[in-house]
């Protein structure tokens, strides 16, 4: 089963999956199965989303950009990822795509791109980033795909921050506050741009009670590396809490 193609089916585009039901794939997915993977009728395909779980299916019809999957059985129950949100300043194209891919693999539930004083990229290809998140979810075997918010100024987001949500900010060469408690599902991580946060932004972050500075060590990391390191660091505490409660 692990070797068969695995495709995300947006829950808002189809009725709930049932055994024996027929599922019409998107034209791009049909093209991918036929032209790229060289699949044929009778081949096995896994389809999934957080609403329906994961289902094993068989290709009933495949021609050009049309494909129908006959659903056989559910192999995983519905499950939403219990992870963190990620606020990050957009980077150069490849680095931003790396953040989306690695973040999806590390359980990010939502990406929030923000504009900081040193942000040098103010345009995002939303469709491209959503495609990368979907592909990463298909490969890492999670059942949902994280959302990607529109680009907004960091100061605006902080001014409207929801109560009860902690923001773990990676501040270079900053003495972290003692962690009274680990992260909870729904908390967020903040990574700065290339060159780091300005002095004014660091003061602004430290002045907010919901911000919890974290240290990533004495070395200066690339922004995309810092994102993976911070998610792993903060997410380790979150996983421990989730495991203890299961």
């Amino acid at each position: 089963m692990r070797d068969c193609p695995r495709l995300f089916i947006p829950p808002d585009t189809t009725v709930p999956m049932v055994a024996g039901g027929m599922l019409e794939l998107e034209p791009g997915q049909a093209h991918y199965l036929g032209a790229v993977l060289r699949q044929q009728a009778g081949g096995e395909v896994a389809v999934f989303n957080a609403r329906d779980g994961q289902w094993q299916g068989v290709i009933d019809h495949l021609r050009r950009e049309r494909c129908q999957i006959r659903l056989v059985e559910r192999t995983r129950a519905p499950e939403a990822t219990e992870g963190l949100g990620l606020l990050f300043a957009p980077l150069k194209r490849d680095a931003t795509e790396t953040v989306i891919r690695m973040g999806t693999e590390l359980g990010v539930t939502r990406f929030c791109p923000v504009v900081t004083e040193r942000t040098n990229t103010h345009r995002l290809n939303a469709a491209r980033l959503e495609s990368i998140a979907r592909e990463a979810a298909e490969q890492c075997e999670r059942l949902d795909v994280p959302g990607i918010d529109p680009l907004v100024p960091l100061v605006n987001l902080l001014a409207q921050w929801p109560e009860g949500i902690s923001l773990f900010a990676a501040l270079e060469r900053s003495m972290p506050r003692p962690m009274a408690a680990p992260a909870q599902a729904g908390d967020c991580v903040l990574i700065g741009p290339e060159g780091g946060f300005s002095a004014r932004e660091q003061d602004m972050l430290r002045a907010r009670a919901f911000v919890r500075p974290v240290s990533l060590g004495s070395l200066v990391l690339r922004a995309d590396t810092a994102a993976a390191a911070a998610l792993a660091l903060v997410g380790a505490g979150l996983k421990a809490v989730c495991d203890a409660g299961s």
Side-chain angles (χ1 to χ4, degrees), residues 41 68 90 99 101 106 118-119 122 135-136 162 167 176 185 204 214 218 228 230 232 237 240 242 246:
Q68 285 188 325
V99 168
R101 187 187 72 253
L106 290 169
R118 294 175 179 168
T119 299
H122 293 77
E135 291 173 2
L167 178 60
M204 175 183 64
V214 294
S218 60
C242 293
S246 61

Side-chain angles (χ1 to χ4, degrees), residues 50-233:
R51 182 195 67 188
D52 300 297
Q54 180 164 305
W55 285 75
Q56 191 69 12
V58 175
I59 299 175
D60 186 79
H61 171 83
L62 175 59
R63 184 175 183 182
R64 297 182 181 274
E65 296 188 346
R66 291 203 61 187
C67 179
Q68 285 188 325
I69 304 295
R70 178 171 52 83
L71 300 174
V72 178
E73 63 176 343
R74 189 169 73 180
T75 56
R76 288 178 61 186
E79 178 185 11
T81 300
E82 292 186 332
L84 302 164
L86 177 62
L87 282 63
F88 71 100
L91 309 168
K92 295 178 182 178
R93 175 179 171 179
D94 290 347
T96 295
E97 293 180 357
T98 297
V99 168
I100 298 297
R101 187 187 72 253
M102 290 193 304
T104 301
E105 294 173 356
L106 290 169
V108 167
T109 56
R110 191 155 207 90
F111 293 96
C112 305
V114 295
V115 178
T116 67
E117 292 185 13
R118 294 175 179 168
T119 299
N120 55 24
T121 300
H122 293 77
R123 293 184 179 180
L124 293 176
N125 185 335
R128 170 65 179 166
L129 297 183
E130 290 168 0
S131 176
I132 290 172
R134 176 185 288 201
E135 291 173 2
E138 291 172 343
Q139 293 171 1
C140 75
E141 299 193 2
R142 63 185 283 178
L143 291 180
D144 54 0
V145 175
I148 303 175
D149 291 342
L151 183 65
V152 298
L154 174 62
V155 63
N156 292 4
L157 199 59
L158 295 179
Q160 302 172 5
W161 195 256
E163 185 177 354
I165 300 297
S166 294
L167 178 60
F168 294 81
L171 301 179
E172 289 182 358
R173 299 184 176 90
S174 173
M175 289 300 294
R177 296 175 186 169
M179 288 193 180
Q184 305 293 319
D187 285 346
C188 297
V189 169
L190 169 63
I191 298 297
E194 296 170 344
F197 295 108
S198 69
R200 179 166 58 179
E201 287 171 333
Q202 291 197 40
D203 290 342
M204 175 183 64
L205 288 166
R206 290 193 180 95
R208 282 161 167 78
F210 57 81
V211 172
R212 298 167 65 178
V214 294
S215 173
L216 301 181
S218 60
L219 301 180
V220 177
L221 305 179
R222 284 171 49 106
D224 50 350
T225 304
L231 287 169
L233 175 67

